[in-house]
Amino acid sequence: MQRARSVEAKQQRERAILDAARELAEARTVREVTLTDVAAAVGMHKSAMLRYFETREQIFLALTAEAWVEWSAWIRGNLEAGDGRDRGAGQGRDQGAGQGRDQGAGQGRDQGAGDGRDRGAHAAAVIARSLAARPLFCDLLAHAAMNLERNVSLETAYAYKTSTLEQVLLVTDHLRGLLDLTVQQTRDLVGTATSMAGAFWQMSATPGSQLEQMYTEHPDIAHANVEVEPRLTRILTALIAGMRVNP
Amino acid sequence: MQRARSVEAKQQRERAILDAARELAEARTVREVTLTDVAAAVGMHKSAMLRYFETREQIFLALTAEAWVEWSAWIRGNLEAGDGRDRGAGQGRDQGAGQGRDQGAGQGRDQGAGDGRDRGAHAAAVIARSLAARPLFCDLLAHAAMNLERNVSLETAYAYKTSTLEQVLLVTDHLRGLLDLTVQQTRDLVGTATSMAGAFWQMSATPGSQLEQMYTEHPDIAHANVEVEPRLTRILTALIAGMRVNP
């Protein structure tokens, strides 16, 4: 009983740390959140917090794994074969009222089952929108391979990798059925979508960023700003169409 | 005369710093090279070095700009319309003897001018190989947007951006002529190729990396290792084919 309570207390504490880190990263960006910031937000001493997570990177890697689970479930639950039943791109906790503009991802485009090309364009648009609607996931995706996986123990990196691979497999299986692609093509599609979302998000001038300031002060190069959703939609649409041409 | 000599001396010193940083980053990775390492390699005090470059990031951003110029020139000088004249993917200073395996990017594939699809597949293979043959460029590409552009002054970031945009424009113009794509499609193609090269390189188990150790100790997930060149070739081939289908 004592032990059960202590396990539960530990889980609650871990949850509180993860939630605090997520809120801070959503408000700023991943790179701007330190371990000290998280400790302050959750009201713990840094040394005490390190009993729950070995490094700052382990916290953000855990958030990345959770974001994969959430995104994977959303895609599988919402992306249908262009039958107009897609229910917006928002995350579970954001849904409900006020999400009107996201209703129906295939608006007026391929309301019926659609032919192959329409189905591909529809899936591309929904995938792009689902990623653009998750800025923290995009931010984490770019950081994961470059920074987060490298500042944790081998076992933590392995646990993260197996968890993520499981989600990739689930999304891949779902998309393959919808799009009639090979396993390798679908894996390449998911790899491209998530890698590009991460990379493009880093290149986009988010509010308050130095990039935004640069494009404001130098309108001659403002066209270089990357708009994540339209660019990702175009690229994924062409990618899926091309995969169908050359199986 | 005195002034001319001092300008020249300054340029030589800058060149020595950049060369030292490049050699260190090639031997390790960008993330593992500190300002102290560069100062030691070039035989200067760190404080003296900061008169030439404001931060560690400015050094690597300058190397990224140079790598763009080199890659852009290589693509424009070597990627022809599938006529078998491509001269390998190596960088200028690596060429010559011992590069036999890189000779002829379109081996036996589309030796003639080729039809549209062949030309696209040929260009995809050459672009993928040219990037995979430049691991430091890949490494820098991933770091540029995420870390390097953010730790320099606005003016340095702006100078980097205009220089890079110029190279993107040159490559875009060249590829557009070869592949018969729109301006926006070609820009998306170059953006995808360079972003994916950066992202995939970070995900690949380079020799001596913790990732390599993980895949060795956990062969069950070794299939998740990303091989940059074949994966990038597949994706760019499909992307170009799809762009031709949906102009």
Side-chain angles (χ1 to χ4, degrees):
Chain A
M1 189 61 187
Q2 185 61 37
R3 186 171 151 68
R5 249 209 306 276
S6 91
V7 167
E8 201 186 319
K10 182 168 183 288
Q11 284 173 344
Q12 282 175 356
R13 196 51 78 93
E14 284 177 359
R15 187 72 261 151
I17 294 167
L18 291 173
D19 289 343
R22 192 183 53 227
E23 277 166 39
L24 287 165
E26 278 172 344
R28 305 172 197 177
T29 60
V30 170
R31 59 178 284 117
E32 278 166 41
V33 179
T34 67
L35 204 55
T36 309
D37 296 332
V38 180
V42 82
M44 289 175 78
H45 284 285
K46 212 161 85 174
S47 57
M49 207 168 67
L50 291 174
R51 283 190 312 223
Y52 298 90
F53 292 97
E54 65 199 35
T55 55
R56 168 191 177 281
E57 283 72 23
Q58 195 187 4
I59 296 174
F60 285 112
L61 209 57
L63 288 178
T64 314
E66 289 187 352
W68 266 104
V69 170
E70 190 274 329
W71 180 70
S72 155
W74 189 89
I75 288 287
R76 287 175 289 130
N78 292 275
L79 178 57
E80 307 289 340
D83 59 358
R85 280 192 290 139
D86 308 286
R87 276 163 280 162
Q91 294 182 245
R93 63 208 170 86
D94 291 331
Q95 281 179 352
Q99 291 282 314
R101 70 168 189 90
D102 279 336
Q103 297 301 320
Q107 289 162 340
R109 195 164 192 170
D110 47 298
Q111 295 294 330
D115 67 5
R117 190 187 296 187
D118 279 351
R119 227 186 305 153
H122 172 73
V126 174
I127 294 168
R129 186 139 50 83
S130 73
L131 289 164
R134 289 166 173 76
L136 179 60
F137 187 35
C138 294
D139 196 3
L140 288 165
L141 281 167
H143 278 277
M146 199 145 98
N147 300 319
L148 304 179
E149 283 182 26
R150 293 164 197 242
N151 287 322
V152 295
S153 69
L154 207 66
E155 284 320 296
T156 296
Y158 175 64
Y160 166 75
K161 210 80 185 174
T162 47
S163 156
T164 302
L165 285 172
E166 198 186 312
Q167 299 307 318
V168 170
L169 197 66
L170 290 169
V171 172
T172 300
D173 275 353
H174 183 74
L175 291 178
R176 193 160 61 86
L178 284 184
L179 298 173
D180 199 24
L181 300 174
T182 68
V183 172
Q184 189 180 53
Q185 285 178 327
T186 325
R187 237 187 250 148
D188 284 344
L189 172 63
V190 174
T192 304
T194 51
S195 297
M196 297 293 280
F200 286 164
W201 192 86
Q202 298 293 335
M203 291 177 205
S204 68
T206 46
S209 64
Q210 178 169 310
L211 264 185
E212 189 194 38
Q213 196 188 342
M214 185 170 80
Y215 289 133
T216 305
E217 290 184 21
H218 299 284
D220 56 309
I221 59 160
H223 66 276
N225 187 19
V226 173
E227 288 185 272
V228 178
E229 187 181 331
R231 194 174 204 195
L232 196 53
T233 302
R234 290 197 305 271
I235 289 168
L236 297 181
T237 302
L239 183 63
I240 294 170
M243 285 174 167
R244 289 168 163 285
V245 173
N246 293 307
Chain B
M1 190 61 187
Q2 185 61 37
R3 183 170 153 72
R5 248 210 305 277
S6 93
V7 167
E8 199 186 320
K10 181 168 183 287
Q11 285 174 344
Q12 282 175 357
R13 197 49 79 93
E14 284 177 358
R15 188 70 262 154
I17 294 167
L18 291 173
D19 288 344
R22 192 181 55 227
E23 278 166 38
L24 286 167
E26 278 172 344
R28 306 172 196 176
T29 59
V30 170
R31 59 177 285 117
E32 278 165 42
V33 179
T34 67
L35 204 57
T36 309
D37 296 332
V38 180
V42 82
M44 290 175 79
H45 284 284
K46 212 161 85 173
S47 58
M49 208 169 66
L50 291 174
R51 283 190 312 223
Y52 298 91
F53 292 97
E54 64 199 36
T55 56
R56 166 191 179 281
E57 284 71 25
Q58 196 187 2
I59 296 174
F60 285 112
L61 209 57
L63 288 178
T64 313
E66 289 187 352
W68 266 104
V69 170
E70 190 275 327
W71 180 71
S72 156
W74 189 90
I75 288 287
R76 288 176 289 130
N78 292 275
L79 178 57
E80 307 288 341
D83 60 356
R85 278 193 291 140
D86 308 286
R87 275 161 280 162
Q91 293 180 246
R93 63 207 170 88
D94 291 331
Q95 281 180 351
Q99 290 284 314
R101 70 169 186 89
D102 279 337
Q103 297 300 320
Q107 289 162 340
R109 196 164 191 170
D110 47 297
Q111 296 292 330
D115 67 6
R117 188 187 296 186
D118 279 351
R119 226 185 306 153
H122 172 72
V126 174
I127 294 168
R129 186 140 51 84
S130 73
L131 289 164
R134 290 165 172 77
L136 179 60
F137 187 35
C138 293
D139 195 4
L140 288 165
L141 281 168
H143 278 278
M146 199 144 100
N147 300 319
L148 304 179
E149 283 183 26
R150 293 163 197 242
N151 288 321
V152 295
S153 69
L154 207 67
E155 284 320 295
T156 296
Y158 174 64
Y160 166 75
K161 210 79 185 175
T162 47
S163 156
T164 303
L165 285 173
E166 198 185 313
Q167 298 308 319
V168 170
L169 197 65
L170 290 169
V171 172
T172 299
D173 275 353
H174 182 74
L175 291 178
R176 195 159 61 86
L178 284 183
L179 298 172
D180 199 24
L181 299 175
T182 68
V183 172
Q184 188 179 53
Q185 285 178 328
T186 324
R187 238 187 249 150
D188 284 344
L189 172 63
V190 174
T192 304
T194 50
S195 298
M196 297 294 280
F200 287 165
W201 192 85
Q202 298 293 334
M203 291 178 207
S204 68
T206 46
S209 64
Q210 178 170 308
L211 264 185
E212 188 194 40
Q213 197 188 341
M214 185 169 79
Y215 289 133
T216 304
E217 290 183 21
H218 299 284
D220 56 308
I221 58 161
H223 66 278
N225 187 19
V226 172
E227 289 186 272
V228 179
E229 187 182 330
R231 195 174 202 196
L232 196 53
T233 302
R234 289 196 305 272
I235 289 167
L236 297 181
T237 302
L239 183 63
I240 294 170
M243 285 174 167
R244 290 168 163 284
V245 172
N246 292 308

